[in-house]
Structure formats: structure tokens, C-alpha cells
Amino acid sequence: MSDSPAAVGALLRATPPDRLPEAIAEHLRTHYAASDVEVLLSDLSLSSLRPAIDRDGPDGGQLEQRCFGSQQALVDTRPGATRVLLPLTVWGDRLGVLRLEVGSEPTHELTAELEALASEFAMALRTADRDTDRYHLVRRKQRLTMAAELQWDMLPGRSLDGERFRLAGTLEPAYAVYGDHYDWAITGDRLTVTVLNGNGDGLESTLLTTVAVNAMRNARRSGANIVEQAELASDAVYSRHGGITHVATLLLEIDLSDGTVEAVDAGSPKAMIARNGDIRPVTLEQQLPLGMFGDTRYEIQKFQLDPGDRLLVVSDGVHAAAPGGRPEYGASSLLTALRRTRLQPPSEAVGTILRGLRDYHAGIDPEDDAVIVCLDWLRLLA
């Protein structure tokens, strides 16, 4: 006996935020005769899927990772039981995988119904994150530094999908970051993307980035354009630090209806565009980082995206990484990484590029954290 997604949503809304996994497991057992239900959540580095119901149980294996990466439901038929794996995703933000066993191979209709149930559950999980620490504990392999705690709380998500775009970002190292950050917001046809690098390291760098991010959000949420966002953030940083320190920033506002990009380049983050097999850097006139001087004024520059373009933005912890005195990772390595990931969605591409950066470090601890943001603009508005 099955139940509608609306009924599942009502059930989850009536459940305490820390008891959602048990509620969905009981629902699946009662209405679908399911067994061995487990909720697997991605850890912060997106390298493993960790169990939320049986905390002592094993991490997700190859099938679970395949479901998480492909974002497709998988059915694994075995003697006596069939395992169903369902992605837990909200607006493209990948949370994990819901795994259950049923007595026989499900029909296409039943699989679709289970996918709808998983979507309701994923939305409830994302909402519950504000009111319980349970899922934070599951996702962490180790304790975060205080700086990392602040920055993870400020991140908008790991991925965001819309009708006309796919967007993903990653921050490394996951458990001890130093001030690099990204932010985004979608309102109508306007997608704002920001990559920042707070000067210095540790908690002071994170506090610096926190001031800049929230100043830009405050301006943006008041209807200000990216010049006003940059100027308010610059004034906020300068008023606190008097020009002693600064925040390098690249602000982008993409018009999703025609691909026009307005930019304020205020520092070290770099952008590249992949188009029809050709990859080129985005050349912008660099302006002063935020907070270097009082009353700094900024200007908008423009460039154009074509349908099917991929835009990659990285902080200096990527393009300027020089582990152990080696040459900088630089543009040539990013060109190679972009070519290698062209057929991957942004949510997978950022991970592939990050693994390439890790390989380049060859076991040497990075001296700076790294942000990678990848945007695919899909097509013009119909």
C-alpha cells in the first residue's frame, strides 16, 4: 500500500526535526513493506556517505556513491530482496541517498512514487538543519575549527539548479578554512555569484570574510546592484580595520534571459569560460580589494555568455597554489581540468577539479584554502 507525496509531506511537517529519518523509515515499512531503511548523508568534503539511522553502520558503498553522483534512482536486484537507492536533493543541492529494500523489483510507477517521497524527505531534512544538530554531527568526520564553523554556516549550499542554469561550489579544506568563501542568490532572471578571499588566516580571516559577505547580502537584499554591494562591503571592512587588511572579491550578476554578465573585479579570484571546446580567461580590469581605502568606488564591467557556456571561478588558493615551492597551479592546469570535466555536471566537475588540485599538492598540506565555483548557462529564455 502506497501513500501520496502530499501525505508524506504532512507527516514530515508533524515530525520533530531530529526524528525525520525514523519517521520516513517507519512510513516506508508501513506503506511499502520496506526493510533495511537507511539515510546516508554526504560528509562535508563530499567524499563519503555516512549513515544517519544506524550511526555505527558502514558508509555507503559504490552503488550509493553512483546514485549520489548520477542523481538517478538505482535498483539493485538480489536473490530474495531488491535494494532501491534514491538521491536526496533540493533544487540541485545534493544531501545524500535514501536506501531501502523491498521484496521484488519495483515498477516504474512505484520507483517514481518513491522518488517523489525522497524529494519530500530531502526538503524536510534541509529545513530541519536550522533546528537540530543531528545531521551536522552525521556529516562531520572530525571536529571543525571555529573558523570553518562560521564559514560553513554562511555558505548558501553546494549546488543550485534552475531551468536555465546549473551551479555548484566547493570549499577546501572542509574542516579548517582560512577566509575563502562563495555566495550566490537567484531572484527572477538575476543570478548573483560572489567569490571572496579574506586576507590572512584562521579566525580573524573568517571574521573579515563574514563582515564582507553579510554587508553584500544586506545591500543585495535591499535591492542594490553589485557596485553598491561592493562599496558597502568595502566601507564596512575599512571602518572596522582602517585599511590594515582587505577582502579580494569577484562579484558577478548574470542575466539568465540573455547571458549578459555584469562584474566587479576587486581582487584575486579568476574566471574562465569554456565554449565549444575552446577555453579562455575572462579579462577584467582589476580594481582595489574591498576595505583597502575609505570611500572606494567601483565600476561595472561586462562580458557575455553563450548558451551552453561553462563559467569557472576560482580563488587564489587554486590558481596561485605553489606547494613546496613548485610552480603555481595556474591557468594551464585549470585549462586541463576544464577540458577533463566538460561532460560532467557542475556538481561533479568541481569535485574533479578539486581532486586534481589535491594531486598537485602531492601530500603537502595546502598553505591556503580554495574555492571553486562552476556555472553552466543552458539556454535562452523561451
Side-chain angles (χ1 to χ4, degrees):
M1 177 183 176
S2 63
D3 208 348
S4 70
V8 174
L11 167 70
L12 294 171
R13 287 190 294 275
T15 300
D18 63 322
R19 302 299 298 167
L20 294 175
E22 287 72 25
I24 203 68
E26 180 60 29
H27 184 84
L28 288 166
R29 285 191 288 265
T30 301
H31 294 272
Y32 296 88
S35 61
D36 191 28
V37 179
E38 185 56 88
V39 176
L40 297 153
L41 300 180
S42 175
D43 78 306
L44 293 179
S45 63
L46 299 180
S47 61
S48 63
L49 294 165
R50 299 166 62 80
I53 296 177
D54 180 8
R55 290 294 306 276
D56 296 323
D59 289 356
Q62 290 185 348
L63 278 177
E64 288 85 354
Q65 287 286 356
R66 202 170 110 205
C67 173
F68 183 74
S70 69
Q71 288 295 285
Q72 299 293 323
L74 297 180
V75 177
D76 179 33
T77 302
R78 303 178 180 187
T82 297
R83 179 170 289 184
V84 182
L85 305 172
L86 304 159
L88 297 172
T89 310
V90 180
W91 295 311
D93 195 10
R94 302 178 301 165
L95 309 183
V97 171
L98 175 61
R99 184 183 67 205
L100 62 140
E101 286 190 359
V102 292
S104 59
E105 185 170 349
T107 63
H108 291 298
E109 290 78 9
L110 179 55
T111 300
E113 188 173 309
L114 289 170
E115 288 181 288
L117 179 150
S119 294
E120 291 285 342
F121 178 55
M123 181 66 77
L125 276 177
R126 182 167 179 176
T127 304
D129 242 3
R130 298 175 59 88
D131 297 304
T132 177
D133 290 335
R134 179 180 180 182
Y135 312 117
H136 293 274
L137 291 168
V138 173
R139 290 193 293 264
R140 299 177 185 205
K141 291 182 176 180
Q142 64 193 64
R143 185 170 181 171
L144 272 68
T145 64
M146 285 196 58
E149 189 78 53
L150 279 169
Q151 288 193 225
W152 278 107
D153 269 355
M154 282 197 301
L155 286 178
R158 307 297 290 275
S159 305
L160 179 65
D161 289 354
E163 182 184 8
R164 289 163 287 163
F165 71 96
R166 301 285 184 269
L167 177 63
T170 190
L171 175 64
E172 179 80 3
Y175 294 89
V177 291
Y178 309 102
D180 284 14
H181 193 74
Y182 65 84
D183 194 24
W184 59 55
I186 175 72
T187 304
D189 290 332
R190 312 298 289 185
L191 174 64
T192 304
V193 177
T194 311
V195 174
L196 309 94
N197 179 14
N199 188 40
D201 55 35
L203 187 58
E204 289 304 314
S205 178
T206 297
L207 291 173
L208 179 65
T209 298
T210 300
V211 170
V213 169
N214 283 284
M216 283 186 280
R217 286 177 176 173
N218 177 261
R220 188 183 71 223
R221 292 167 182 172
S222 300
N225 63 25
I226 57 173
V227 161
E228 295 168 306
Q229 293 169 36
E231 291 176 352
L232 179 63
S234 183
D235 290 345
V237 171
Y238 184 81
S239 67
R240 181 174 176 81
H241 297 282
I244 296 173
T245 190
H246 59 270
V247 182
T249 309
L250 178 62
L251 297 92
L252 304 173
E253 188 167 83
I254 301 102
D255 188 331
L256 296 171
S257 67
D258 63 9
T260 301
V261 183
E262 295 185 340
V264 171
D265 184 348
S268 58
K270 304 297 183 187
M272 308 177 78
I273 293 176
R275 175 181 297 159
N276 298 324
D278 179 45
I279 301 172
R280 62 177 179 84
V282 175
T283 302
L284 298 169
E285 182 180 347
Q286 189 169 313
Q287 301 174 68
L288 292 172
L290 308 182
M292 287 194 74
F293 299 99
D295 297 323
T296 303
R297 295 295 171 253
Y298 294 94
E299 295 182 358
I300 285 178
Q301 301 171 73
K302 293 185 179 182
F303 62 94
Q304 186 69 38
L305 294 178
D306 289 343
D309 278 0
R310 168 163 288 180
L311 176 66
L312 183 74
V313 184
V314 297
S315 68
D316 62 356
V318 181
H319 65 77
R326 300 178 63 189
E328 290 186 352
Y329 188 69
S332 62
S333 297
L334 286 170
L335 287 172
T336 301
L338 263 177
R339 291 191 181 98
R340 190 167 62 242
T341 60
R342 193 64 189 100
L343 298 179
Q344 294 180 329
S347 56
E348 288 291 293
V350 292
T352 300
I353 296 169
L354 186 58
R355 286 189 291 273
L357 181 63
R358 288 177 189 151
D359 291 343
Y360 190 75
H361 279 80
I364 300 173
D365 289 338
E367 296 179 356
D368 196 3
D369 46 357
V371 162
I372 302 169
V373 173
C374 183
L375 168 72
D376 284 354
W377 186 52
L378 304 180
R379 61 178 177 84
L380 295 172
L381 180 64

PDB file of all heavy atoms in Angstrom, residues 85-115:
ATOM      1  N   LEU A  85      17.847   2.690  -4.318  1.00  0.00           N
ATOM      2  CA  LEU A  85      18.646   3.834  -3.881  1.00  0.00           C
ATOM      3  C   LEU A  85      18.078   5.096  -4.519  1.00  0.00           C
ATOM      4  O   LEU A  85      17.902   5.148  -5.740  1.00  0.00           O
ATOM      5  CB  LEU A  85      20.108   3.658  -4.285  1.00  0.00           C
ATOM      6  CG  LEU A  85      20.779   2.363  -3.808  1.00  0.00           C
ATOM      7  CD1 LEU A  85      22.151   2.209  -4.433  1.00  0.00           C
ATOM      8  CD2 LEU A  85      20.884   2.355  -2.301  1.00  0.00           C
ATOM      9  N   LEU A  86      17.805   6.094  -3.700  1.00  0.00           N
ATOM     10  CA  LEU A  86      17.132   7.305  -4.164  1.00  0.00           C
ATOM     11  C   LEU A  86      17.939   8.533  -3.770  1.00  0.00           C
ATOM     12  O   LEU A  86      18.296   8.699  -2.587  1.00  0.00           O
ATOM     13  CB  LEU A  86      15.737   7.398  -3.540  1.00  0.00           C
ATOM     14  CG  LEU A  86      14.819   6.196  -3.786  1.00  0.00           C
ATOM     15  CD1 LEU A  86      13.717   6.158  -2.738  1.00  0.00           C
ATOM     16  CD2 LEU A  86      14.237   6.251  -5.179  1.00  0.00           C
ATOM     17  N   PRO A  87      18.262   9.435  -4.714  1.00  0.00           N
ATOM     18  CA  PRO A  87      19.006  10.654  -4.351  1.00  0.00           C
ATOM     19  C   PRO A  87      18.154  11.590  -3.512  1.00  0.00           C
ATOM     20  O   PRO A  87      16.954  11.737  -3.744  1.00  0.00           O
ATOM     21  CB  PRO A  87      19.352  11.275  -5.709  1.00  0.00           C
ATOM     22  CG  PRO A  87      18.319  10.739  -6.655  1.00  0.00           C
ATOM     23  CD  PRO A  87      17.953   9.370  -6.149  1.00  0.00           C
ATOM     24  N   LEU A  88      18.791  12.210  -2.524  1.00  0.00           N
ATOM     25  CA  LEU A  88      18.149  13.224  -1.697  1.00  0.00           C
ATOM     26  C   LEU A  88      18.689  14.579  -2.133  1.00  0.00           C
ATOM     27  O   LEU A  88      19.844  14.923  -1.848  1.00  0.00           O
ATOM     28  CB  LEU A  88      18.447  12.969  -0.219  1.00  0.00           C
ATOM     29  CG  LEU A  88      17.909  11.656   0.352  1.00  0.00           C
ATOM     30  CD1 LEU A  88      18.424  11.418   1.771  1.00  0.00           C
ATOM     31  CD2 LEU A  88      16.386  11.637   0.326  1.00  0.00           C
ATOM     32  N   THR A  89      17.858  15.332  -2.833  1.00  0.00           N
ATOM     33  CA  THR A  89      18.316  16.559  -3.491  1.00  0.00           C
ATOM     34  C   THR A  89      17.248  17.638  -3.373  1.00  0.00           C
ATOM     35  O   THR A  89      16.055  17.347  -3.510  1.00  0.00           O
ATOM     36  CB  THR A  89      18.610  16.295  -4.980  1.00  0.00           C
ATOM     37  OG1 THR A  89      19.449  15.156  -5.104  1.00  0.00           O
ATOM     38  CG2 THR A  89      19.280  17.490  -5.624  1.00  0.00           C
ATOM     39  N   VAL A  90      17.681  18.881  -3.131  1.00  0.00           N
ATOM     40  CA  VAL A  90      16.771  20.023  -3.062  1.00  0.00           C
ATOM     41  C   VAL A  90      17.298  21.102  -3.989  1.00  0.00           C
ATOM     42  O   VAL A  90      18.380  21.650  -3.754  1.00  0.00           O
ATOM     43  CB  VAL A  90      16.660  20.563  -1.621  1.00  0.00           C
ATOM     44  CG1 VAL A  90      15.701  21.751  -1.575  1.00  0.00           C
ATOM     45  CG2 VAL A  90      16.207  19.469  -0.662  1.00  0.00           C
ATOM     46  N   TRP A  91      16.587  21.402  -5.066  1.00  0.00           N
ATOM     47  CA  TRP A  91      16.987  22.429  -6.039  1.00  0.00           C
ATOM     48  C   TRP A  91      18.428  22.213  -6.510  1.00  0.00           C
ATOM     49  O   TRP A  91      19.198  23.159  -6.681  1.00  0.00           O
ATOM     50  CB  TRP A  91      16.808  23.835  -5.464  1.00  0.00           C
ATOM     51  CG  TRP A  91      15.389  24.185  -5.186  1.00  0.00           C
ATOM     52  CD1 TRP A  91      14.322  24.044  -6.022  1.00  0.00           C
ATOM     53  CD2 TRP A  91      14.872  24.742  -3.976  1.00  0.00           C
ATOM     54  NE1 TRP A  91      13.173  24.472  -5.413  1.00  0.00           N
ATOM     55  CE2 TRP A  91      13.479  24.901  -4.160  1.00  0.00           C
ATOM     56  CE3 TRP A  91      15.442  25.111  -2.766  1.00  0.00           C
ATOM     57  CZ2 TRP A  91      12.651  25.418  -3.166  1.00  0.00           C
ATOM     58  CZ3 TRP A  91      14.608  25.626  -1.775  1.00  0.00           C
ATOM     59  CH2 TRP A  91      13.245  25.778  -1.980  1.00  0.00           C
ATOM     60  N   GLY A  92      18.777  20.958  -6.699  1.00  0.00           N
ATOM     61  CA  GLY A  92      20.115  20.625  -7.175  1.00  0.00           C
ATOM     62  C   GLY A  92      21.140  20.450  -6.082  1.00  0.00           C
ATOM     63  O   GLY A  92      22.262  19.989  -6.352  1.00  0.00           O
ATOM     64  N   ASP A  93      20.827  20.821  -4.841  1.00  0.00           N
ATOM     65  CA  ASP A  93      21.770  20.674  -3.727  1.00  0.00           C
ATOM     66  C   ASP A  93      21.706  19.236  -3.225  1.00  0.00           C
ATOM     67  O   ASP A  93      20.687  18.800  -2.674  1.00  0.00           O
ATOM     68  CB  ASP A  93      21.418  21.653  -2.610  1.00  0.00           C
ATOM     69  CG  ASP A  93      22.536  21.810  -1.602  1.00  0.00           C
ATOM     70  OD1 ASP A  93      23.653  21.317  -1.861  1.00  0.00           O
ATOM     71  OD2 ASP A  93      22.306  22.423  -0.553  1.00  0.00           O
ATOM     72  N   ARG A  94      22.795  18.498  -3.398  1.00  0.00           N
ATOM     73  CA  ARG A  94      22.823  17.068  -3.087  1.00  0.00           C
ATOM     74  C   ARG A  94      23.097  16.854  -1.602  1.00  0.00           C
ATOM     75  O   ARG A  94      24.149  17.216  -1.098  1.00  0.00           O
ATOM     76  CB  ARG A  94      23.894  16.371  -3.931  1.00  0.00           C
ATOM     77  CG  ARG A  94      23.677  16.551  -5.434  1.00  0.00           C
ATOM     78  CD  ARG A  94      24.777  15.885  -6.229  1.00  0.00           C
ATOM     79  NE  ARG A  94      26.088  16.422  -5.890  1.00  0.00           N
ATOM     80  CZ  ARG A  94      27.243  15.849  -6.218  1.00  0.00           C
ATOM     81  NH1 ARG A  94      27.243  14.707  -6.862  1.00  0.00           N
ATOM     82  NH2 ARG A  94      28.390  16.422  -5.891  1.00  0.00           N
ATOM     83  N   LEU A  95      22.136  16.231  -0.913  1.00  0.00           N
ATOM     84  CA  LEU A  95      22.263  15.984   0.524  1.00  0.00           C
ATOM     85  C   LEU A  95      22.755  14.579   0.823  1.00  0.00           C
ATOM     86  O   LEU A  95      23.491  14.372   1.787  1.00  0.00           O
ATOM     87  CB  LEU A  95      20.922  16.199   1.226  1.00  0.00           C
ATOM     88  CG  LEU A  95      20.199  17.523   0.954  1.00  0.00           C
ATOM     89  CD1 LEU A  95      18.925  17.588   1.778  1.00  0.00           C
ATOM     90  CD2 LEU A  95      21.094  18.705   1.248  1.00  0.00           C
ATOM     91  N   GLY A  96      22.317  13.597   0.037  1.00  0.00           N
ATOM     92  CA  GLY A  96      22.697  12.220   0.322  1.00  0.00           C
ATOM     93  C   GLY A  96      21.864  11.235  -0.465  1.00  0.00           C
ATOM     94  O   GLY A  96      21.400  11.536  -1.571  1.00  0.00           O
ATOM     95  N   VAL A  97      21.638  10.058   0.130  1.00  0.00           N
ATOM     96  CA  VAL A  97      20.929   8.957  -0.543  1.00  0.00           C
ATOM     97  C   VAL A  97      20.020   8.272   0.472  1.00  0.00           C
ATOM     98  O   VAL A  97      20.412   8.034   1.620  1.00  0.00           O
ATOM     99  CB  VAL A  97      21.932   7.933  -1.117  1.00  0.00           C
ATOM    100  CG1 VAL A  97      21.215   6.677  -1.618  1.00  0.00           C
ATOM    101  CG2 VAL A  97      22.743   8.566  -2.245  1.00  0.00           C
ATOM    102  N   LEU A  98      18.806   7.964   0.051  1.00  0.00           N
ATOM    103  CA  LEU A  98      17.876   7.150   0.832  1.00  0.00           C
ATOM    104  C   LEU A  98      17.920   5.725   0.282  1.00  0.00           C
ATOM    105  O   LEU A  98      17.684   5.514  -0.907  1.00  0.00           O
ATOM    106  CB  LEU A  98      16.457   7.721   0.731  1.00  0.00           C
ATOM    107  CG  LEU A  98      15.334   6.919   1.407  1.00  0.00           C
ATOM    108  CD1 LEU A  98      15.564   6.804   2.895  1.00  0.00           C
ATOM    109  CD2 LEU A  98      13.977   7.559   1.110  1.00  0.00           C
ATOM    110  N   ARG A  99      18.230   4.764   1.150  1.00  0.00           N
ATOM    111  CA  ARG A  99      18.358   3.355   0.727  1.00  0.00           C
ATOM    112  C   ARG A  99      17.322   2.508   1.449  1.00  0.00           C
ATOM    113  O   ARG A  99      17.110   2.663   2.650  1.00  0.00           O
ATOM    114  CB  ARG A  99      19.759   2.836   1.059  1.00  0.00           C
ATOM    115  CG  ARG A  99      20.031   1.422   0.568  1.00  0.00           C
ATOM    116  CD  ARG A  99      21.409   0.973   1.017  1.00  0.00           C
ATOM    117  NE  ARG A  99      21.471   0.820   2.466  1.00  0.00           N
ATOM    118  CZ  ARG A  99      22.594   0.912   3.180  1.00  0.00           C
ATOM    119  NH1 ARG A  99      23.751   1.199   2.604  1.00  0.00           N
ATOM    120  NH2 ARG A  99      22.566   0.745   4.490  1.00  0.00           N
ATOM    121  N   LEU A 100      16.679   1.607   0.705  1.00  0.00           N
ATOM    122  CA  LEU A 100      15.707   0.695   1.300  1.00  0.00           C
ATOM    123  C   LEU A 100      15.684  -0.606   0.515  1.00  0.00           C
ATOM    124  O   LEU A 100      16.156  -0.666  -0.632  1.00  0.00           O
ATOM    125  CB  LEU A 100      14.315   1.317   1.321  1.00  0.00           C
ATOM    126  CG  LEU A 100      13.696   1.668  -0.039  1.00  0.00           C
ATOM    127  CD1 LEU A 100      12.217   1.334  -0.066  1.00  0.00           C
ATOM    128  CD2 LEU A 100      13.898   3.162  -0.340  1.00  0.00           C
ATOM    129  N   GLU A 101      15.154  -1.642   1.137  1.00  0.00           N
ATOM    130  CA  GLU A 101      14.970  -2.917   0.462  1.00  0.00           C
ATOM    131  C   GLU A 101      13.488  -3.237   0.386  1.00  0.00           C
ATOM    132  O   GLU A 101      12.733  -2.989   1.328  1.00  0.00           O
ATOM    133  CB  GLU A 101      15.710  -4.042   1.193  1.00  0.00           C
ATOM    134  CG  GLU A 101      17.211  -4.007   1.016  1.00  0.00           C
ATOM    135  CD  GLU A 101      17.911  -5.247   1.533  1.00  0.00           C
ATOM    136  OE1 GLU A 101      17.206  -6.156   2.057  1.00  0.00           O
ATOM    137  OE2 GLU A 101      19.148  -5.331   1.418  1.00  0.00           O
ATOM    138  N   VAL A 102      13.075  -3.782  -0.762  1.00  0.00           N
ATOM    139  CA  VAL A 102      11.701  -4.233  -0.976  1.00  0.00           C
ATOM    140  C   VAL A 102      11.744  -5.680  -1.464  1.00  0.00           C
ATOM    141  O   VAL A 102      12.798  -6.180  -1.865  1.00  0.00           O
ATOM    142  CB  VAL A 102      10.956  -3.335  -1.985  1.00  0.00           C
ATOM    143  CG1 VAL A 102      10.730  -1.948  -1.408  1.00  0.00           C
ATOM    144  CG2 VAL A 102      11.721  -3.239  -3.292  1.00  0.00           C
ATOM    145  N   GLY A 103      10.608  -6.351  -1.433  1.00  0.00           N
ATOM    146  CA  GLY A 103      10.588  -7.773  -1.717  1.00  0.00           C
ATOM    147  C   GLY A 103      10.798  -8.137  -3.164  1.00  0.00           C
ATOM    148  O   GLY A 103      11.276  -9.233  -3.469  1.00  0.00           O
ATOM    149  N   SER A 104      10.426  -7.243  -4.085  1.00  0.00           N
ATOM    150  CA  SER A 104      10.563  -7.549  -5.505  1.00  0.00           C
ATOM    151  C   SER A 104      10.904  -6.270  -6.257  1.00  0.00           C
ATOM    152  O   SER A 104      10.785  -5.166  -5.723  1.00  0.00           O
ATOM    153  CB  SER A 104       9.270  -8.154  -6.060  1.00  0.00           C
ATOM    154  OG  SER A 104       8.181  -7.254  -5.882  1.00  0.00           O
ATOM    155  N   GLU A 105      11.323  -6.427  -7.490  1.00  0.00           N
ATOM    156  CA  GLU A 105      11.719  -5.273  -8.280  1.00  0.00           C
ATOM    157  C   GLU A 105      10.539  -4.327  -8.470  1.00  0.00           C
ATOM    158  O   GLU A 105       9.477  -4.732  -8.942  1.00  0.00           O
ATOM    159  CB  GLU A 105      12.268  -5.708  -9.634  1.00  0.00           C
ATOM    160  CG  GLU A 105      12.814  -4.566 -10.458  1.00  0.00           C
ATOM    161  CD  GLU A 105      13.567  -5.029 -11.699  1.00  0.00           C
ATOM    162  OE1 GLU A 105      13.836  -6.237 -11.810  1.00  0.00           O
ATOM    163  OE2 GLU A 105      13.879  -4.173 -12.537  1.00  0.00           O
ATOM    164  N   PRO A 106      10.679  -3.061  -8.131  1.00  0.00           N
ATOM    165  CA  PRO A 106       9.549  -2.131  -8.242  1.00  0.00           C
ATOM    166  C   PRO A 106       9.243  -1.784  -9.693  1.00  0.00           C
ATOM    167  O   PRO A 106      10.122  -1.778 -10.549  1.00  0.00           O
ATOM    168  CB  PRO A 106      10.035  -0.904  -7.470  1.00  0.00           C
ATOM    169  CG  PRO A 106      11.527  -0.955  -7.583  1.00  0.00           C
ATOM    170  CD  PRO A 106      11.885  -2.417  -7.597  1.00  0.00           C
ATOM    171  N   THR A 107       7.991  -1.477  -9.949  1.00  0.00           N
ATOM    172  CA  THR A 107       7.592  -0.996 -11.267  1.00  0.00           C
ATOM    173  C   THR A 107       8.122   0.415 -11.466  1.00  0.00           C
ATOM    174  O   THR A 107       8.558   1.091 -10.526  1.00  0.00           O
ATOM    175  CB  THR A 107       6.067  -0.979 -11.391  1.00  0.00           C
ATOM    176  OG1 THR A 107       5.536  -0.052 -10.428  1.00  0.00           O
ATOM    177  CG2 THR A 107       5.479  -2.376 -11.130  1.00  0.00           C
ATOM    178  N   HIS A 108       8.062   0.887 -12.712  1.00  0.00           N
ATOM    179  CA  HIS A 108       8.467   2.269 -12.990  1.00  0.00           C
ATOM    180  C   HIS A 108       7.598   3.247 -12.210  1.00  0.00           C
ATOM    181  O   HIS A 108       8.090   4.273 -11.713  1.00  0.00           O
ATOM    182  CB  HIS A 108       8.371   2.557 -14.488  1.00  0.00           C
ATOM    183  CG  HIS A 108       9.391   1.838 -15.314  1.00  0.00           C
ATOM    184  ND1 HIS A 108      10.749   2.032 -15.159  1.00  0.00           N
ATOM    185  CD2 HIS A 108       9.260   0.909 -16.302  1.00  0.00           C
ATOM    186  CE1 HIS A 108      11.417   1.276 -16.007  1.00  0.00           C
ATOM    187  NE2 HIS A 108      10.526   0.578 -16.713  1.00  0.00           N
ATOM    188  N   GLU A 109       6.311   2.925 -12.093  1.00  0.00           N
ATOM    189  CA  GLU A 109       5.402   3.817 -11.370  1.00  0.00           C
ATOM    190  C   GLU A 109       5.760   3.881  -9.894  1.00  0.00           C
ATOM    191  O   GLU A 109       5.768   4.964  -9.296  1.00  0.00           O
ATOM    192  CB  GLU A 109       3.951   3.335 -11.535  1.00  0.00           C
ATOM    193  CG  GLU A 109       3.377   3.503 -12.930  1.00  0.00           C
ATOM    194  CD  GLU A 109       3.869   2.418 -13.906  1.00  0.00           C
ATOM    195  OE1 GLU A 109       4.523   1.442 -13.441  1.00  0.00           O
ATOM    196  OE2 GLU A 109       3.620   2.558 -15.117  1.00  0.00           O
ATOM    197  N   LEU A 110       6.095   2.731  -9.315  1.00  0.00           N
ATOM    198  CA  LEU A 110       6.449   2.712  -7.896  1.00  0.00           C
ATOM    199  C   LEU A 110       7.786   3.415  -7.670  1.00  0.00           C
ATOM    200  O   LEU A 110       7.950   4.148  -6.688  1.00  0.00           O
ATOM    201  CB  LEU A 110       6.517   1.271  -7.391  1.00  0.00           C
ATOM    202  CG  LEU A 110       6.898   1.109  -5.910  1.00  0.00           C
ATOM    203  CD1 LEU A 110       5.960   1.901  -5.018  1.00  0.00           C
ATOM    204  CD2 LEU A 110       6.908  -0.368  -5.515  1.00  0.00           C
ATOM    205  N   THR A 111       8.738   3.215  -8.568  1.00  0.00           N
ATOM    206  CA  THR A 111      10.021   3.910  -8.440  1.00  0.00           C
ATOM    207  C   THR A 111       9.822   5.420  -8.490  1.00  0.00           C
ATOM    208  O   THR A 111      10.424   6.173  -7.705  1.00  0.00           O
ATOM    209  CB  THR A 111      10.984   3.473  -9.550  1.00  0.00           C
ATOM    210  OG1 THR A 111      11.208   2.057  -9.458  1.00  0.00           O
ATOM    211  CG2 THR A 111      12.324   4.183  -9.423  1.00  0.00           C
ATOM    212  N   ALA A 112       8.967   5.880  -9.408  1.00  0.00           N
ATOM    213  CA  ALA A 112       8.676   7.316  -9.499  1.00  0.00           C
ATOM    214  C   ALA A 112       8.020   7.822  -8.218  1.00  0.00           C
ATOM    215  O   ALA A 112       8.310   8.939  -7.750  1.00  0.00           O
ATOM    216  CB  ALA A 112       7.781   7.591 -10.703  1.00  0.00           C
ATOM    217  N   GLU A 113       7.151   7.018  -7.651  1.00  0.00           N
ATOM    218  CA  GLU A 113       6.496   7.404  -6.400  1.00  0.00           C
ATOM    219  C   GLU A 113       7.511   7.504  -5.262  1.00  0.00           C
ATOM    220  O   GLU A 113       7.471   8.437  -4.450  1.00  0.00           O
ATOM    221  CB  GLU A 113       5.416   6.378  -6.053  1.00  0.00           C
ATOM    222  CG  GLU A 113       4.538   6.781  -4.889  1.00  0.00           C
ATOM    223  CD  GLU A 113       3.383   5.815  -4.707  1.00  0.00           C
ATOM    224  OE1 GLU A 113       2.678   5.533  -5.700  1.00  0.00           O
ATOM    225  OE2 GLU A 113       3.193   5.352  -3.561  1.00  0.00           O
ATOM    226  N   LEU A 114       8.447   6.562  -5.212  1.00  0.00           N
ATOM    227  CA  LEU A 114       9.489   6.603  -4.189  1.00  0.00           C
ATOM    228  C   LEU A 114      10.420   7.803  -4.386  1.00  0.00           C
ATOM    229  O   LEU A 114      10.893   8.405  -3.417  1.00  0.00           O
ATOM    230  CB  LEU A 114      10.287   5.298  -4.203  1.00  0.00           C
ATOM    231  CG  LEU A 114       9.545   4.059  -3.692  1.00  0.00           C
ATOM    232  CD1 LEU A 114      10.355   2.799  -3.985  1.00  0.00           C
ATOM    233  CD2 LEU A 114       9.256   4.178  -2.199  1.00  0.00           C
ATOM    234  N   GLU A 115      10.678   8.158  -5.636  1.00  0.00           N
ATOM    235  CA  GLU A 115      11.494   9.355  -5.906  1.00  0.00           C
ATOM    236  C   GLU A 115      10.795  10.615  -5.398  1.00  0.00           C
ATOM    237  O   GLU A 115      11.449  11.511  -4.836  1.00  0.00           O
ATOM    238  CB  GLU A 115      11.781   9.469  -7.399  1.00  0.00           C
ATOM    239  CG  GLU A 115      12.759   8.447  -7.929  1.00  0.00           C
ATOM    240  CD  GLU A 115      13.029   8.616  -9.410  1.00  0.00           C
ATOM    241  OE1 GLU A 115      12.134   8.298 -10.220  1.00  0.00           O
ATOM    242  OE2 GLU A 115      14.127   9.078  -9.749  1.00  0.00           O
TER     243      GLU A 115
END
